[in-house]
Amino acid sequence: MTESQTMESVESFAGRARAWLAGNMPRTEDRGGRHQAATRSDEQELAHIAHCRALQRMLFDGGFAGICVPTDYGGQGLTVAHQEAFNREVRGYEYPADTQVPTFTPCMSVILEFGTHEQKKRHVPPILKGEALWMQFLSEPSGGSDVAGAQTTAVRDGEEWVLNGSKIWTTGAWWADWGLCLVRTNWDVPKHRGLTVFMLEIHQPGIEIHRIEMINGSREFCQEFITDVHVPDSQRIGQIDEGWAVGTRWMYHERTISGGSPYVTSPAGRPAVALDPSGGAVALIPLARSRGWLGDTRVKELIGEAHALALIGNALVHHIGDEISTGATTSQAAAITRLWFGTSGVRNSTICYELLGANAVTWSDEDRDLGQRGIRFLMRQSSCIAGGTTEMARNAISERVLGMPRERTVDKDTPFRDVPRSAPTR
Ligand SMILES: Cc1cc2nc3c(=O)[nH]c(=O)nc-3n(C[C@H](O)[C@H](O)[C@H](O)COP(=O)(O)OP(=O)(O)OC[C@H]3O[C@@H](n4cnc5c(N)ncnc54)[C@H](O)[C@@H]3O)c2cc1C
């Protein structure tokens, strides 16, 4: 009998998920994810991450972790339709919101796509159990958009590689366990041809982590200084010097954080990462009601606009997801949803800010919820930067989806060693 003949139907799975969630998971309010990190102390943040790990373990023990991950690697071996059904059922319940991205996508997605059987056996089950949290070691002080311009270097030494360099803007590296790390292994070929990807244990001698404080008070961003770190060749993902093949798919999986990843658990209609920091119209209505503002025409207009943005976002995720999965368009079209969630995220924060007026900038202790929204406004632009900027998404849409002429590059055929660049920042 084939797997599809024995597979549980989506309806039966959804019913089982509904009963399990009701019996096991605490109810919650959707408060917009990581943006709350700005007002947490380090102790509170660590406790929150430990809580996310525990929730992930509950999902695993309940048989609802890794719904689309093959059973060989600890998952459920089911389909995207099953994951979507779970996403509908999980709305209103706690789930490990802040550890879905980048652990499940892009990191686990890349491991599943490019890892060897042994690598998947070793690394995927701990992810599904909440034991291993992963981060992306991509951006460098010299720039994040030009991913292929990585200057962090790995030099082969027998069965090991020795890494030196620096990565930056790594969200949560101080509490995470593993990093997916893009490095240069060959300086004598053009930049796209000398890259390799490694799995890197974050907390080990030779990796110094510096915290970076942002305008909203959050210290979740980190810069890592990597000095003579030895990594076994068995932790290499993909072929030596062919990391760009991995990197291109990595970028694709990164864009699916706005929606469409089969590996992310996220209540239906909500981006996997809180790119919509206001929480959308759903969160605004009870707020406006509690303040007696619902009769105000301007308030109704703003809530209507947030609602329209949410509806369009949902429709777009489904449409683009379907087009990519049926082959009707290139996977590069994920840049369209990425662009949408970037720009609509900024607008949503602004809608919230306009709606709250003076309450968004001054609040009392009893009004902490209003304060959160004011603080989120300070971070509104991050939705256009995180996961690759919206400018880079526009480039991908014009060049890779619409087929417009490619941007002129001067370093395409030049060995990376000879490409002019700034001195590395230490
Ligand atoms: C909330 C958040 C979380 C993040 N988490 C991580 C993480 O976990 N790991 C990680 O590695 N990075 C992370 N980043 C970093 C992020 O990936 C980079 O900030 C981003 O890729 C841009 O890189 P940069 O800041 O170095 O800007 P640069 O690359 O220096 O770009 C500067 C400006 O120039 C524009 N630009 C550059 N090149 C082009 C071009 N060819 N065409 C048009 N415009 C261009 C950019 O769009 C941008 O506006 C995070 C960022 C944010 C905001």
Side-chain angles (χ1 to χ4, degrees):
M1 200 176 269
T2 65
E3 200 181 333
S4 63
Q5 283 171 305
T6 58
M7 191 178 285
E8 182 178 12
S9 74
V10 174
E11 294 68 34
S12 155
F13 175 80
R16 196 159 55 79
R18 197 174 310 136
W20 182 83
L21 285 163
N24 293 279
M25 285 309 220
R27 288 236 157 230
T28 188
E29 263 179 70
D30 186 348
R31 287 175 175 275
R34 287 221 57 75
H35 291 268
Q36 277 205 317
T39 51
R40 289 189 195 118
S41 67
D42 281 2
E43 290 71 27
Q44 288 169 329
E45 179 71 346
L46 288 176
H48 174 69
I49 297 302
H51 181 60
C52 287
R53 288 182 193 261
L55 290 172
Q56 184 61 42
R57 179 73 206 204
M58 287 167 74
L59 288 178
F60 182 83
D61 290 341
F64 295 101
I67 290 167
C68 291
V69 172
T71 50
D72 266 4
Y73 308 124
Q76 308 306 317
L78 297 170
T79 67
V80 173
H82 292 82
Q83 179 66 62
E84 286 176 352
F86 192 78
N87 289 349
R88 285 192 291 277
E89 298 300 334
V90 83
R91 184 155 219 135
Y93 290 98
E94 279 203 44
Y95 73 105
D98 288 344
T99 46
Q100 295 290 300
V101 171
T103 297
F104 286 84
T105 206
C107 296
M108 186 184 74
S109 309
V110 168
I111 296 169
L112 283 170
E113 195 169 332
F114 291 94
T116 61
H117 179 61
E118 289 69 34
Q119 287 173 333
K120 289 187 250 192
K121 275 266 186 210
R122 176 173 172 207
H123 290 286
V124 174
I127 288 176
L128 299 183
K129 291 177 189 165
E131 292 165 0
L133 297 177
W134 284 67
M135 290 297 155
Q136 305 186 79
F137 281 34
L138 265 183
S139 305
E140 299 199 358
S142 52
S145 300
D146 183 17
V147 177
Q151 297 182 36
T152 296
T153 302
V155 175
R156 184 120 198 197
D157 180 13
E159 278 310 295
E160 293 188 331
W161 294 82
V162 183
L163 270 61
N164 279 284
S166 179
K167 295 287 177 179
I168 194 168
W169 311 126
T170 323
T171 319
W174 67 281
W175 48 251
D177 309 295
W178 284 84
L180 202 59
C181 186
L182 181 79
V183 300
R184 183 155 306 281
T185 39
N186 192 340
W187 288 73
D188 297 320
V189 291
K191 66 179 178 184
H192 292 90
R193 291 195 229 139
L195 298 162
T196 306
V197 176
F198 288 95
M199 299 181 283
L200 187 64
E201 254 179 293
I202 297 177
H203 301 284
Q204 60 167 305
I207 300 188
E208 206 181 296
I209 299 177
H210 288 205
R211 312 269 299 276
I212 301 169
E213 182 160 350
M214 290 187 283
I215 190 172
N216 65 351
S218 164
R219 295 176 70 230
E220 65 176 346
F221 272 146
C222 301
Q223 177 169 8
E224 301 82 30
F225 296 92
I226 303 170
T227 311
D228 292 335
V229 171
H230 288 245
V231 176
D233 187 54
S234 58
Q235 284 175 210
R236 170 168 51 81
I237 293 269
Q239 302 303 310
I240 299 169
D241 292 348
E242 290 179 20
W244 192 240
V246 182
T248 325
R249 291 295 296 166
W250 181 343
M251 303 300 112
Y252 161 70
H253 289 299
E254 189 175 35
R255 288 186 194 122
T256 66
I257 66 176
S258 310
S261 169
Y263 302 123
V264 165
T265 291
S266 176
R270 188 181 188 284
V273 77
L275 294 181
D276 165 3
S278 73
V282 176
L284 294 180
I285 293 170
L287 180 73
R289 182 176 290 123
S290 70
R291 306 261 144 185
W293 296 340
L294 272 184
D296 186 307
T297 307
R298 180 68 186 140
V299 168
K300 283 196 266 193
E301 277 174 5
L302 288 169
I303 292 177
E305 187 185 347
H307 187 55
L309 291 175
L311 290 178
I312 294 167
N314 285 344
L316 194 66
V317 166
H318 276 104
H319 178 67
I320 301 286
D322 286 349
E323 296 270 294
I324 293 175
S325 61
T326 58
T329 189
T330 158
S331 63
Q332 296 285 339
I336 299 172
T337 40
R338 192 274 163 272
L339 173 61
W340 170 265
F341 280 103
T343 51
S344 65
V346 175
R347 182 59 198 144
N348 261 318
S349 307
T350 310
I351 287 172
C352 204
Y353 189 73
E354 286 175 10
L355 191 137
L356 294 177
N359 292 297
V361 286
T362 52
W363 58 88
S364 62
D365 281 350
E366 301 84 67
D367 277 340
R368 278 185 66 79
D369 198 35
L370 298 184
Q372 290 284 349
R373 286 155 205 276
I375 289 169
R376 282 176 208 160
F377 181 73
L378 295 174
M379 282 294 285
R380 67 197 178 285
Q381 208 60 38
S382 71
S383 68
C384 286
I385 303 172
T389 66
T390 43
E391 285 86 7
M392 297 309 285
R394 285 179 208 275
N395 286 353
I397 295 165
S398 61
E399 296 176 4
R400 312 287 180 112
V401 182
L402 301 176
M404 291 163 76
R406 300 289 291 269
E407 189 180 0
R408 198 173 76 88
T409 49
V410 289
D411 53 6
K412 195 164 161 276
D413 300 313
T414 311
F416 193 65
R417 189 182 294 290
D418 300 330
V419 174
R421 60 186 163 272
S422 325
T425 318
R426 295 286 300 177

